[in-house]
Amino acid sequence: MSALNLYPAIDLKNGECVRLQQGDMARVTVFNADPAAQARQWEAAGFQYLHLVDLDGAFAGKPANAAAVRAIRQAIKLPIQLGGGIRDEATIEGWLDAGISRVILGTIAVRDPDLVKRAARRWPGRVVVGIDARSGRVAVAGWAEASDLDAIDLAKKFVDAGVAAIVYTDIDRDGLLKGVNVAATAAMARAVPIPVIASGGLAGIEDVIALKKEAANGAGIDGAILGRALYDGRIDPAAALREAAYR
């Protein structure tokens, strides 16, 4: 069996590498004023992917940290998946042409799912759907707007669309180190035949172990996004990468 992929996260706010708590822009911690240097650190640690979010762009509805994204792209060789403020095909095309491997479409997946489906057909394997939920209900626009849409119901809209993966974030846990929502992630991964990436609250190696166990038991969990626990030193990169590999 393949490994559980681990995606270290770099969240961009005002050109800096930060972490938020529950998506609240007022509850921010700056971890590195040089995101490109941070990206090089994660590459040197042995990670095979990078998860990148333009936080300002998510609220603005258009890219807002383009210079930082491009600096990161030039600094490392790792494939990068990028989300935040990507709301139309022109922006998708621009980022893919700039060397971003996969774009993450969140708000637009709710507001215009047909656009997501068109993009997935046009760029096979390069479109990811981001589903961010509070208590199972989807939130959009940088998590500032709530909806009545069930997270799994939204995922099912893209079953035949050809999207590469779904990033499922539990907002209630994000940035709080409470542990990833393994049950909800596994439920989504069993509900749709699309690889699911767990996000939000991952606190330690035990979360990696729990997700790996669900994946081994048939849930289509592709991997996990590592945020605050990685920056706080609660997770050792080498140990996490060893644990994520199936033996």
Side-chain angles (χ1 to χ4, degrees):
M1 291 182 287
S2 61
L4 190 73
N5 298 309
L6 298 181
Y7 299 77
I10 292 181
D11 290 356
L12 297 170
K13 183 177 187 294
N14 298 327
E16 297 178 316
C17 174
V18 308
R19 299 303 298 169
L20 306 183
Q21 292 185 16
Q22 296 179 302
D24 186 343
M25 292 288 264
R27 299 163 70 192
V28 59
T29 304
V30 177
F31 280 98
N32 198 325
D34 185 345
Q38 186 64 64
R40 285 192 292 269
Q41 181 179 331
W42 296 146
E43 182 176 51
F47 290 105
Q48 299 299 304
Y49 307 91
L50 184 68
H51 177 79
L52 191 56
V53 180
D54 181 349
L55 292 173
D56 299 302
F59 283 91
K62 59 184 179 181
N65 283 282
V69 174
R70 293 179 188 277
I72 289 169
R73 177 64 288 171
Q74 293 172 3
I76 62 172
K77 296 180 180 179
L78 298 181
I80 296 171
Q81 60 181 25
L82 169 68
I86 305 174
R87 307 279 171 87
D88 55 52
E89 289 190 53
T91 305
I92 295 170
E93 184 173 24
W95 281 130
L96 296 179
D97 287 347
I100 297 302
S101 299
R102 305 197 305 195
V103 293
I104 304 168
L105 307 181
T107 297
I108 202 65
V110 175
R111 295 178 176 170
D112 191 355
D114 287 339
L115 184 152
V116 178
K117 294 174 183 179
R118 289 196 305 273
R121 290 192 296 268
R122 183 177 175 187
W123 295 286
R126 304 189 72 183
V127 173
V128 173
V129 171
I131 299 179
D132 309 324
R134 280 192 184 90
S135 302
R137 299 293 172 178
V138 177
V140 297
W143 304 348
E145 299 177 20
S147 79
D148 292 326
L149 185 61
D150 179 81
I152 290 179
D153 288 344
L154 177 59
K156 288 180 177 178
K157 291 186 178 184
F158 302 102
V159 164
D160 297 319
V163 299
I166 290 172
V167 173
Y168 175 65
T169 303
D170 185 325
I171 299 170
D172 294 321
R173 298 180 183 229
D174 191 71
L176 299 183
L177 300 169
K178 290 184 176 181
V180 71
N181 193 333
V182 177
T185 303
M188 178 171 286
R190 288 189 166 90
V192 296
I194 304 169
V196 174
I197 300 169
S199 175
L202 196 141
I205 291 292
E206 63 275 8
D207 287 319
V208 175
I209 294 170
L211 290 167
K212 190 173 85 167
K213 182 178 179 180
E214 290 288 351
N217 288 335
I221 298 175
D222 169 80
I225 292 170
L226 308 182
R228 184 172 290 271
L230 195 58
Y231 288 90
D232 283 348
R234 296 167 188 261
I235 292 181
D236 173 68
L241 288 164
R242 282 195 305 271
E243 191 58 57
Y246 284 102
R247 291 184 285 274

